[in-house]
Amino acid sequence: MYEEQQRPDHGPLAGFTVGVTAARRADELGALLQRRGAAVQHAPALRIVPLADDGELLAATQQLIDRAPDVVVATTAIGFRGWIEAADGWGLGEALLARLRAVELLARGPKVKGAVRAAGLTEEWSPSSESLAEVLDRLLEEGVDGRRIAVQLHGEPLPGFVEALREGGAEVVGVPVYRWMPPEDIGPLDRLLDATVARGLDAVTFTSAPAAASLLSRAEERGLLTGLLAAFHHDVVPACVGPVTALPLQARGVDTVQPDRFRLGPLVQLLCQELPSRARSLPVAGHHMEIRGHAVLLDGELKPVPPAGMSLLRALSRRPGWVVPRADLLRALPGAGRDEHAVETAMARLRTALGSPKLIQTVVKRGYRLALDPATDAKYAGA
């Protein structure tokens, strides 16, 4: 038996590459991942329309000031604060605050309640759970028929919320705080998409449903949707901060992983468990080898491996202990063509990267095999 002794200078995500699609708080998420050893590829899947330039938000604000709603639902702290600040910039701040003081103001959870009170307002009610479903239940119990209800939106879909209010007879006014638009520079998103389809990433993180929808839409535009969905089904982990964020992916039949608490920290901790658990671990030539995304942990020491070498190593590990012909290994090399010398070149670089040539055996005129330890070799021989 071999014990993995991961060195303390290598975090749990060492050797893995994670894609970040967030537009907001991307630096924070990237830093959390990098501190745990991950390589990060950032490509914002969308951009946020600046509030001061948002004509739709200005029109909605003026509409509410001119004609008072019966209820205002504040759904996010950052969105509510941004709305008040934007109104101040347009010279409508005092008029908006006066209007909000005169209506039933509901805040979705403690954070939103804090933003409401920081603006000098007092909420009528707020659930402790941060559940929008509880807010909906309260409104429906009160009765919404004939009532005018303003809902502060935040770029996220609110599944069933607005529809349920309208079915109950309410007039719903959306306040579109922080609307999402496609990124101005589509290049990084295309590169992230290509890397996902090519299995160059181990996971892609999503912190908003619009970001997930944007990546899917771009894949469809480029004819890569089938490849993207296949990658998410088999090799690349789609990690969402919560169930609402996962909706566009689930609508395409993609199963996602989500933390119990809908925050960035728990999302990163989930990946720290999920990715290492999917890595292939084998006892090879007296060593413990764990095959990760772009590197190998060999007896706990991180060994970065070139992409071609990782392709060969994965092909060998799929048939551990068996001789894999050069022709099969050539097919595993991306863009290698028909020259089997490419296999020899990539194999030499792989052995150099691993630092132990005995891990992979050359079988003359046949191919290569992982030098599994005898007991394990017998186990896989019957597989």
Side-chain angles (χ1 to χ4, degrees), residues 189-239:
L189 187 62
D190 280 346
R191 289 190 288 274
L192 183 140
L193 179 56
D194 291 338
T196 305
V197 171
R199 278 58 168 182
L201 301 179
D202 300 291
V204 178
T205 60
F206 299 95
T207 57
S208 73
S214 177
L215 182 66
L216 292 167
S217 175
R218 183 59 180 167
E220 196 160 23
E221 288 174 14
R222 296 184 57 208
L224 295 174
L225 183 59
T226 300
L228 178 67
L229 296 179
F232 283 149
H233 281 306
H234 300 293
D235 302 297
V236 181
V237 178

Side-chain angles (χ1 to χ4, degrees), residues 282-358:
L282 293 167
V284 181
H287 300 276
H288 184 279
M289 175 187 288
E290 182 177 309
I291 303 169
R292 297 193 166 194
H294 62 261
V296 170
L297 273 181
L298 194 62
D299 298 331
E301 184 179 355
L302 191 68
K303 303 278 190 177
V305 175
M310 289 304 303
S311 297
L312 294 182
L313 193 54
R314 289 194 186 95
L316 293 170
S317 70
R318 282 192 288 269
R319 297 155 69 180
W322 288 62
V323 177
V324 181
R326 283 181 174 81
D328 291 356
L329 293 173
L330 182 63
R331 282 192 289 272
L333 285 177
R338 299 181 180 180
D339 186 356
E340 289 190 3
H341 288 297
V343 174
E344 296 173 11
T345 301
M347 188 63 70
R349 291 174 179 166
L350 171 59
R351 283 169 162 158
T352 299
L354 295 175
S356 180
K358 294 182 179 180

Side-chain angles (χ1 to χ4, degrees), residues 78-320:
I78 187 172
F80 189 81
R81 285 195 300 268
W83 183 22
I84 301 300
E85 290 169 4
D88 275 336
W90 297 322
L92 299 174
E94 286 304 320
L96 177 60
L97 290 173
R99 179 61 76 205
L100 293 176
R101 288 190 188 98
V103 303
E104 181 181 344
L105 182 56
L106 304 182
R108 189 197 74 170
K111 287 187 177 180
V112 188
K113 181 167 64 175
V116 166
R117 294 188 177 182
L121 304 169
T122 303
E123 76 289 346
E124 181 82 15
W125 177 80
S126 175
S128 59
S129 66
E130 298 190 58
S131 168
L132 206 56
E134 281 194 47
V135 178
L136 178 61
D137 288 344
R138 178 184 171 91
L139 286 168
L140 295 177
E141 286 171 8
E142 290 178 350
V144 298
D145 189 21
R147 303 186 83 192
R148 180 173 159 85
I149 300 175
V151 180
Q152 171 239 312
L153 307 173
H154 186 59
E156 304 277 358
L158 303 176
F161 187 84
V162 171
E163 292 82 356
L165 292 176
R166 285 179 175 150
E167 286 175 9
E171 176 192 353
V172 180
V173 179
V175 181
V177 179
Y178 290 114
R179 287 188 300 115
W180 307 112
M181 299 286 285
E184 289 182 316
D185 180 6
I186 203 72
L189 187 62
D190 280 346
R191 289 190 288 274
L192 183 140
L193 179 56
D194 291 338
T196 305
V197 171
R199 278 58 168 182
L201 301 179
D202 300 291
V204 178
T205 60
F206 299 95
T207 57
S208 73
S214 177
L215 182 66
L216 292 167
S217 175
R218 183 59 180 167
E220 196 160 23
E221 288 174 14
R222 296 184 57 208
L224 295 174
L225 183 59
T226 300
L228 178 67
L229 296 179
F232 283 149
H233 281 306
H234 300 293
D235 302 297
V236 181
V237 178
C240 297
V241 76
V244 172
T245 297
L247 287 174
L249 292 161
Q250 290 176 343
R252 297 283 189 172
V254 174
D255 291 329
T256 65
V257 299
Q258 304 164 26
D260 294 331
R261 294 175 58 244
F262 311 145
R263 299 285 185 271
L264 296 186
L267 177 64
V268 172
Q269 288 304 318
L270 177 64
L271 286 176
C272 288
Q273 299 165 10
E274 189 74 24
L275 291 182
S277 73
R278 296 184 178 214
R280 189 73 187 270
S281 295
L282 293 167
V284 181
H287 300 276
H288 184 279
M289 175 187 288
E290 182 177 309
I291 303 169
R292 297 193 166 194
H294 62 261
V296 170
L297 273 181
L298 194 62
D299 298 331
E301 184 179 355
L302 191 68
K303 303 278 190 177
V305 175
M310 289 304 303
S311 297
L312 294 182
L313 193 54
R314 289 194 186 95
L316 293 170
S317 70
R318 282 192 288 269
R319 297 155 69 180

